[in-house]
């Protein structure tokens, strides 16, 4: 009995922590992944189970906010938008537990929500919160969802997506394709995807042996390991507590990276001895992939805008034991004349709207606007005008984004062909077999969300001129 009471107390405390995260993200505009990471670092006494509960409750509530608000508005005389932020957050969190956390008894979710109201000094609103939540529990089977005939409203509520994004996707895709994309955001596989370093710290071992050693190390620490979908060096990990506690991670033998992002390195053609420049590199996943392909030869130059981002790259490089890398704090829009015509391969994974990674970053859809897409597309072209000059004649430019917005992808790839001295290069033979037969021969690939990976775009170009 004592153990059960302790568990209930912990869940109560975790709900209070989750509420703080939700308020910071939804009311203050902070980024969920950063807030959650900071909280998990601070709350070191939380058990593995409580950390998992906290993560799911906070991220899930944020991810489903539009649907949760739609439900609440059917049972509350006060519209959600007019509620006090704390009450709004508590109600959203409770309704998420009702509909998406079957292991939590409805009564417990309701009671804990009411107690949380008191703890936040709002005793006078206990009855309001209790009434709304009990009304939902009594009437959950009577909830009326939008008619699919009104596809924008229907899809917005069903997939908790701002209406403007649904409308934006419909400009490019059919209703069926749009719904597949929206569903794909919820099909993000559980766990963490990592890329294994096959050459760094391998001491000359064959790739198969390196992978076997890494898997054995992970499994010996209780991690559940599955092979990636597209690449033999990609793994999907579950069942562990902290990534930093895994020996393979602390030794730099693996790096967190989505498989769609790994395509940049896979199609790059990077060879030992080359010089590679990554102009917007933080947190360093693509730079590390390049360093692994260089196999302790050549040189990798990694840059980003702030000291904090450069430090993040440095931490990952040092953890992986990379000593053939130079780091710079550099604004990618400002030309460095000493870098002109200097590198064999340039990685330009540029700032974007992030519409391809909504499945993994639940709050991006609330922070991004239609105007942002247009402004970011202009910024990308401005950066490309500058950084493309660093590529040697005959060298390679890799342009990529983690979005599915045409202005930032296909339109900018066409702009590169028409404006800069570069020609498309086929990436077909370097793509995973399941991704061939699409547009690889034309030098680019647009991945849509789903199949366990993010939405992503990559295009490969070669600089014209004497090699």
């Amino acid at each position: 009995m004592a153990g059960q009471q302790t568990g209930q107390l912990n869940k109560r405390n975790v709900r209070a922590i989750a509420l703080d995260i939700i308020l910071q993200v939804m009311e203050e505009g902070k980024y969920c992944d950063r807030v959650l990471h900071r909280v998990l670092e601070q709350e070191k006494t939380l058990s593995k189970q409580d950390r998992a509960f906290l993560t799911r409750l906070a991220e899930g509530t944020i991810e489903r906010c539009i649907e949760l608000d739609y439900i609440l508005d059917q049972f509350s005389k006060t519209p959600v938008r007019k509620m006090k932020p704390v009450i709004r957050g508590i109600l959203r969190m409770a309704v998420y537990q009702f509909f998406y956390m079957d292991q939590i008894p409805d009564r417990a979710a309701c009671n804990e929500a009411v107690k949380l109201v008191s703890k936040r000094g709002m005793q006078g609103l206990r009855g309001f919160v209790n009434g709304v939540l009990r009304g939902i529990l009594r009437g959950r089977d009577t909830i009326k969802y939008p008619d699919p005939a009104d596809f924008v409203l229907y899809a917005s509520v069903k997939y908790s997506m701002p209406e403007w994004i649904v409308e934006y996707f419909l400009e490019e895709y059919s209703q069926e394709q749009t719904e597949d994309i929206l569903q794909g955001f919820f099909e993000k596989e559980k766990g963490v995807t990592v890329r294994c370093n096959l050459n760094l710290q391998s001491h000359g071992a064959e790739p198969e042996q390196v992978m076997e050693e890494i898997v054995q190390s992970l499994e010996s620490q209780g991690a559940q390991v599955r092979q990636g979908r597209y690449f033999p060096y990609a793994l999907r990990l579950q069942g562990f507590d902290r990534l930093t506690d895994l020996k393979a991670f602390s030794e730099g033998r693996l790096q967190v990276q989505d498989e769609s992002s790994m395509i940049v390195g896979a199609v790059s053609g990077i060879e030992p001895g080359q010089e590679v420049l990554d102009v917007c590199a933080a947190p360093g996943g693509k730079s590390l992939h390049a360093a692994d392909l260089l196999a302790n030869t050549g040189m990798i130059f990694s840059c980003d805008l702030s000291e904090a981002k450069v430090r993040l790259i440095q931490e990952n490089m040092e953890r992986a034991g990379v000593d053939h890398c130079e780091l710079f704090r550099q604004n990618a829009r400002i030309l460095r004349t000493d870098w002109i015509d200097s590198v064999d391969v340039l990685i330009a994974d540029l700032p974007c709207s992030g519409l391809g990674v909504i499945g993994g970053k639940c709050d991006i859809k609330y922070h991004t606007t239609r105007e942002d897409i247009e402004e970011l597309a202009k910024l990308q072209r401005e950066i490309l005008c500058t950084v493309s000059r660093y590529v040697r004649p005959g060298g390679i430019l890799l342009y990529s984004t983690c979005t599915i917005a045409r202005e930032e992808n296909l339109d900018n790839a066409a702009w590169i062909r028409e404006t800069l001295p570069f020609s498309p290069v086929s990436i077909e033979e370097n793509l995973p077999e399941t991704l061939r037969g699409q547009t690889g021969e034309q030098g680019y690939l647009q991945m849509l969300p789903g199949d366990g990976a993010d939405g992503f775009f990559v295009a490969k170009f070669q600089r014209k001129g004497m090699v």
Side-chain angles (χ1 to χ4, degrees):
M1 179 65 71
Q4 183 179 0
Q5 289 176 342
T6 300
Q8 292 172 346
L9 178 61
N10 288 341
K11 287 290 186 295
R12 199 172 301 149
N13 293 335
V14 169
R15 286 186 177 91
I17 298 170
L19 175 62
D20 288 334
I21 294 172
I22 292 165
L23 292 175
Q24 288 184 62
V25 175
M26 298 306 297
E27 307 296 339
E28 300 175 27
K30 295 183 179 179
Y31 292 99
C32 183
D33 56 342
R34 298 177 189 176
V35 175
L36 184 58
H37 176 75
R38 183 172 65 251
V39 169
L40 290 175
E41 285 296 305
Q42 293 171 345
E43 301 291 341
K44 295 185 180 296
T45 60
L46 290 178
S47 67
K48 176 181 175 181
Q49 182 182 16
D50 285 339
R51 290 164 65 87
F53 178 81
L54 171 63
T55 300
R56 183 178 175 190
L57 181 57
E59 290 185 337
T61 300
I62 293 167
E63 183 176 50
R64 293 281 185 177
C65 244
I66 292 176
E67 181 190 10
L68 302 178
D69 289 358
Y70 181 85
I71 293 170
L72 283 164
D73 277 340
Q74 293 186 47
F75 293 88
S76 172
K77 293 181 179 179
T78 302
V80 172
R81 59 185 174 81
K82 291 187 176 181
M83 294 177 184
K84 295 180 183 296
V86 170
I87 299 302
R88 185 161 50 226
I90 290 173
L91 286 171
R92 286 169 170 171
M93 195 165 61
V95 177
Y96 179 78
Q97 292 170 80
F98 291 167
F99 287 85
Y100 292 103
M101 299 185 76
D102 294 338
Q103 76 278 21
I104 304 298
D106 291 341
R107 181 178 177 181
C110 181
N111 291 342
E112 294 305 325
V114 174
K115 291 176 183 177
L116 200 48
V117 173
S118 294
K119 289 183 178 179
R120 294 304 169 104
M122 298 181 178
Q123 289 87 342
L125 292 173
R126 284 168 53 96
F128 169 74
V129 169
N130 185 61
V132 171
L133 294 179
R134 294 197 180 279
I136 292 173
L137 291 176
R138 288 192 302 269
R140 66 195 307 167
D141 294 333
T142 68
I143 295 173
K144 296 180 180 180
Y145 286 90
D147 188 332
D150 184 352
F151 182 79
V152 173
L153 180 59
Y154 157 80
S156 175
V157 172
K158 182 176 180 180
Y159 299 106
S160 277
M161 188 65 60
E163 290 187 20
W164 79 264
I165 295 182
V166 179
E167 293 170 342
Y168 179 77
F169 289 161
L170 286 172
E171 294 174 11
E172 184 68 23
Y173 305 102
S174 67
Q175 282 192 11
E176 183 179 0
Q177 290 173 315
T178 295
E179 191 156 13
D180 285 342
I181 291 171
L182 298 174
Q183 180 63 43
F185 291 133
F186 290 105
E187 292 175 354
K188 185 74 175 176
E189 294 185 34
K190 294 180 179 179
V192 175
T193 301
V194 297
R195 180 188 52 76
C196 298
N197 291 317
L198 301 182
N199 296 305
L200 301 173
Q201 306 177 31
S202 68
H203 307 293
E206 293 297 319
E208 294 80 5
Q209 181 182 344
V210 174
M211 288 299 301
E212 184 178 349
E213 291 174 355
I214 292 174
V215 171
Q216 287 178 350
S217 174
L218 291 167
E219 291 180 338
S220 71
Q221 290 189 266
Q224 300 165 20
V225 183
R226 288 190 293 122
Q227 182 64 50
R229 186 179 297 267
Y230 299 115
F231 298 103
Y233 45 78
L235 298 175
R236 194 76 183 171
L237 309 183
Q238 287 182 260
F240 61 92
D241 187 6
R242 294 178 177 85
L243 186 70
T244 52
D245 292 339
L246 296 176
K247 184 178 180 183
F249 179 82
S250 63
E251 291 179 344
R253 306 197 74 179
L254 47 86
Q255 174 68 27
V256 176
Q257 190 175 12
D258 191 81
E259 283 199 79
S260 59
S261 175
M262 297 180 200
I263 293 175
V264 173
V267 305
S268 66
I270 293 173
E271 298 178 353
Q274 290 186 324
E275 294 189 351
V276 179
L277 172 60
D278 189 352
V279 293
C280 296
K286 296 176 186 64
S287 287
L288 271 170
H289 197 172
D292 194 45
L293 294 169
L294 289 172
N296 297 307
T297 67
M299 184 62 68
I300 175 81
F301 304 97
S302 298
C303 317
D304 221 304
L305 186 60
S306 68
E307 289 289 351
K309 290 186 174 183
V310 173
R311 280 198 303 272
L312 189 56
I313 303 169
Q314 182 177 10
E315 290 170 4
N316 282 316
M317 288 293 180
E318 290 177 349
R319 180 174 52 81
V322 177
D323 57 8
H324 54 298
C325 178
E326 292 186 23
L327 306 180
F328 301 87
R329 179 184 176 187
Q330 175 68 23
N331 186 331
R333 292 180 291 178
I334 298 176
L335 180 68
R336 287 193 53 152
T337 57
D338 56 325
W339 287 3
I340 293 176
D341 298 342
S342 65
V343 298
D344 300 294
V345 178
L346 184 136
I347 300 172
D349 184 64
L350 301 187
C352 70
S353 60
L355 294 187
V357 296
I358 291 174
K361 295 186 176 182
C362 57
D363 56 318
I364 280 182
K365 55 191 175 185
Y366 307 123
H367 297 317
T368 304
T369 67
R370 181 67 180 261
E371 291 72 27
D372 289 336
I373 294 175
E374 298 171 0
E375 290 301 313
L376 284 163
K378 293 178 183 178
L379 173 64
Q380 291 153 3
R381 292 193 292 272
E382 183 180 352
I383 291 174
L384 286 165
C385 275
T386 299
V387 301
S388 62
R389 298 182 63 184
Y390 302 147
V391 183
R392 292 187 179 116
I396 296 297
L397 163 64
L398 293 155
Y399 171 61
S400 64
T401 66
C402 58
T403 188
I404 55 176
R406 169 177 279 274
E407 294 94 324
E408 302 175 84
N409 292 344
L410 291 173
D411 288 355
N412 271 353
W415 177 86
I416 292 172
R417 293 194 305 270
E418 296 165 2
T419 310
L420 303 178
F422 287 83
S423 301
V425 178
S426 172
I427 59 174
E428 184 74 2
E429 64 180 21
N430 298 117
L431 289 172
E433 188 172 349
T434 54
L435 296 177
R436 295 176 187 172
Q438 301 180 43
T439 56
E441 292 284 359
Q442 301 171 52
Y444 74 90
L445 180 71
Q446 172 71 78
M447 288 188 68
L448 298 179
D451 291 330
D454 291 329
F456 197 82
F457 178 85
V458 61
K460 183 177 181 178
F461 301 88
Q462 184 175 40
R463 183 174 170 186
K464 300 174 182 178
M466 296 294 292
V467 179

